[in-house]
Amino acid sequence: MYSELSPSQDRWFRFRMDWKRRRYRARAIAKARELSCVKRARWGREAILLFCTIRNERDRIDWFLKHYRDLGVDHFLFVDNGSDDGTLDTLLAQPDASVWNTPASYRASRFGLDWLNWLMLRHARGHWCVVADADELLIYPHWQTRPLRALTDWLDAQGQPILPAMMLELYPKGPLHTAHVPPGTDPLTALQWFDPGNYTIARKPLLDCLLIQGGPRARAFFADQPNRAPTLTKLPLVKWDMHNTWVNSTHSILPRHLNAVYARGAGERISGALLHTKFLPQIVDRAPMEKARAEHFGNAPVFDAYYDAVAQSPDLWCAQSARFTGWEQLEELGLISRGGWA
């Protein structure tokens, strides 16, 4: 499926990426001065940690915390990027959360990665860590009956320090503004649909990672520029090492060999899904504000049309949409895999 690099190419790519890793670590250390710790709690040596950069997610945060507590996360480490809707107060009230805040530019911190790289360099060594946005809910095979600890123990036994996941974008049937979800409740009560197909997959040799694109945003907003569609490849669960650093969101990581989480020959390796709950009604009102802030894309003007389209509250449902029923359905579609975790 994927052509192999020559030994000389592989050595050259590893050399280039090692310098990038060092550069990003240096950036993270420099950016640490932008963070102020406003609450620090304790966690155990074996704790499963969750790292998240967040801004104005008061309506989502209660369910986000519940979902990950139920999975088995022991402690949350948040970077609040200037919330003014009560999110920060909610985070400070959580007994199992430590909180840093910053008014600095999200975009200038490589979209929060410099902050997370610093916090993980400082606090995550040797821990299994979830890294997720407030609108991302991790699931994996058997997730309702097997906690994260069972999964991480199995991954440890396999010598696999990362669980890859595809970001599965969920949406309502009907205009986005009609998908009402009371604050603090399960967003999947309204976001019940997804695209079961129309995905492309490619290998990026430089990082030795996969690039998955497609889904509702690709067909609705980037049909004429599919290469601009969001990347759906994610690495949301990782056993952190002091040498690690994030490259591009959680799409890729360094050292480079950690991105090789896919099977190259026969068989499959375990993978999960990140249920992306972005398309709640709030996105319609927030789109013009985020367009004006220009903090979420490297080439922000290119994505103005995307924000304009979202502000019109489009209906993303189509005849090929599938109603989400669970991880077993995703496995049947080939979107996640149990690998050897029977």
Side-chain angles (χ1 to χ4, degrees):
M1 182 177 180
Y2 306 106
S3 59
E4 294 295 332
L5 299 173
S6 69
S8 60
Q9 284 179 312
D10 188 63
R11 285 193 299 270
W12 172 236
F13 286 172
R14 281 191 284 115
F15 175 79
R16 288 176 60 186
M17 291 301 97
D18 188 56
W19 275 106
K20 176 172 280 193
R21 180 185 65 84
R22 294 168 187 263
R23 188 167 67 251
Y24 283 168
R25 280 167 56 90
R27 276 185 60 109
I29 293 169
K31 287 286 185 175
R33 68 180 186 275
E34 296 180 349
L35 299 177
S36 298
C37 183
V38 290
K39 181 192 173 191
R40 171 71 188 277
R42 293 182 176 273
W43 57 85
R45 294 181 62 183
E46 301 298 321
I48 296 176
L49 307 178
L50 185 147
F51 291 80
C52 177
T53 300
I54 193 169
R55 184 178 188 276
N56 287 349
E57 295 289 2
R58 179 63 189 88
D59 290 344
R60 297 180 194 271
I61 191 60
D62 288 337
W63 188 264
F64 177 88
L65 292 166
K66 179 185 185 316
H67 176 81
Y68 284 106
R69 284 171 179 148
D70 289 348
L71 280 188
V73 167
D74 297 303
H75 197 82
F76 298 83
L77 294 89
F78 287 101
V79 175
D80 182 89
N81 187 203
S83 293
D84 56 13
D85 69 341
T87 296
L88 180 58
D89 291 336
T90 299
L91 298 179
L92 293 175
Q94 307 306 313
D96 54 355
S98 296
V99 185
W100 288 257
N101 71 352
T102 178
S105 169
Y106 180 74
R107 183 179 178 185
S109 68
R110 292 200 308 120
F111 310 103
L113 284 187
D114 290 333
W115 302 328
L116 292 188
N117 274 333
W118 163 248
L119 290 182
M120 296 185 79
L121 176 66
R122 182 72 177 82
H123 300 295
R125 182 180 180 183
H127 288 273
W128 277 98
C129 303
V130 177
V131 183
D133 293 336
D135 59 6
E136 296 174 343
L137 303 176
L138 175 64
I139 66 169
Y140 49 83
H142 309 292
W143 69 277
Q144 293 106 327
T145 56
R146 300 184 190 178
L148 271 175
R149 182 72 63 190
L151 175 59
T152 57
D153 285 349
W154 184 83
L155 291 171
D156 275 330
Q158 302 301 308
Q160 182 175 334
I162 290 181
L163 176 78
M166 175 179 159
M167 189 161 67
L168 189 74
E169 302 196 294
L170 302 176
Y171 48 86
K173 186 175 183 179
L176 297 182
H177 75 274
T178 64
H180 178 66
V181 179
T185 59
D186 185 357
L188 271 63
T189 58
L191 306 181
Q192 299 182 355
W193 300 88
F194 71 99
D195 283 18
N198 82 307
Y199 298 105
T200 63
I201 185 169
R203 181 188 178 198
K204 298 177 70 174
L206 187 60
L207 284 163
D208 200 15
C209 65
L210 293 185
L211 174 65
I212 301 174
Q213 293 176 291
R217 283 194 285 179
R219 64 175 167 81
F221 307 124
F222 299 96
D224 57 342
Q225 292 182 296
N227 62 310
R228 294 283 188 184
T231 300
L232 304 180
T233 319
K234 289 275 191 167
L235 306 172
L237 179 63
V238 55
K239 189 168 190 179
W240 200 254
D241 182 271
M242 64 179 294
H243 300 293
N244 294 358
T245 189
W246 294 112
V247 180
N248 177 20
S249 181
T250 56
H251 304 309
S252 54
I253 193 171
L254 292 171
R256 179 172 169 265
H257 71 272
L258 294 174
N259 294 306
V261 293
Y262 50 91
R264 301 212 179 194
E268 296 179 348
R269 297 179 69 177
I270 189 170
S271 62
L274 273 178
L275 304 182
H276 197 207
T277 64
K278 177 179 286 292
F279 292 113
L280 291 177
Q282 300 94 310
I283 194 174
V284 176
D285 293 330
R286 290 179 67 164
M289 293 185 287
E290 294 303 331
K291 176 183 174 181
R293 289 181 69 236
E295 285 283 296
H296 281 274
F297 294 105
N299 188 4
V302 172
F303 293 89
D304 284 353
Y306 164 71
Y307 284 121
D308 292 341
V310 170
Q312 298 302 310
S313 188
D315 183 354
L316 299 179
W317 190 90
C318 68
Q320 289 73 41
S321 297
R323 186 187 293 271
F324 176 71
T325 60
W327 70 265
E328 298 91 343
Q329 173 195 31
L330 301 184
E331 185 179 45
E332 290 178 4
L333 292 168
L335 301 180
I336 70 172
S337 173
R338 276 180 281 190
W341 200 37

